[in-house]
Amino acid sequence: MKDIALRAAVRTQTYVNHWAHTTVDRMTRRKDRGQGAIEYVGITILVVAIVIALIRTKMGATIANKFTAKINSVLNK
């Protein structure tokens, strides 16, 4: 029984090590290193546009009032 458990442990460790090394190799070969900053700028612009649209409509005030009411109900309990 010890041999079976030892073999299983060795096979598992070999599999995990191989997976880790191939994953690291794939990650280091990626060519989109500068892409992150552009994505953050795009997301920020999108969020700002949504906030501006909500501020200019009555829906923004309605949402703000609902949030304020819920926060007050939680804080008062």
Side-chain angles (χ1 to χ4, degrees), residues 14-71:
T14 304
Y15 175 78
V16 169
N17 285 338
H18 177 68
W19 175 82
H21 289 300
T22 55
T23 302
V24 169
D25 286 342
R26 284 187 200 134
M27 290 175 70
T28 56
R29 281 187 270 153
R30 291 180 68 179
K31 300 294 182 196
D32 58 350
R33 289 188 180 100
Q35 189 173 0
I38 304 237
E39 289 172 350
Y40 285 127
V41 169
I43 291 170
T44 304
I45 291 171
L46 180 65
V47 169
V48 168
I50 291 170
V51 169
I52 289 173
L54 289 175
I55 288 173
R56 290 188 176 185
T57 62
K58 291 183 180 180
M59 187 168 52
T62 305
I63 292 171
N65 291 336
K66 297 279 184 179
F67 274 122
T68 303
K70 288 295 180 182
I71 290 170

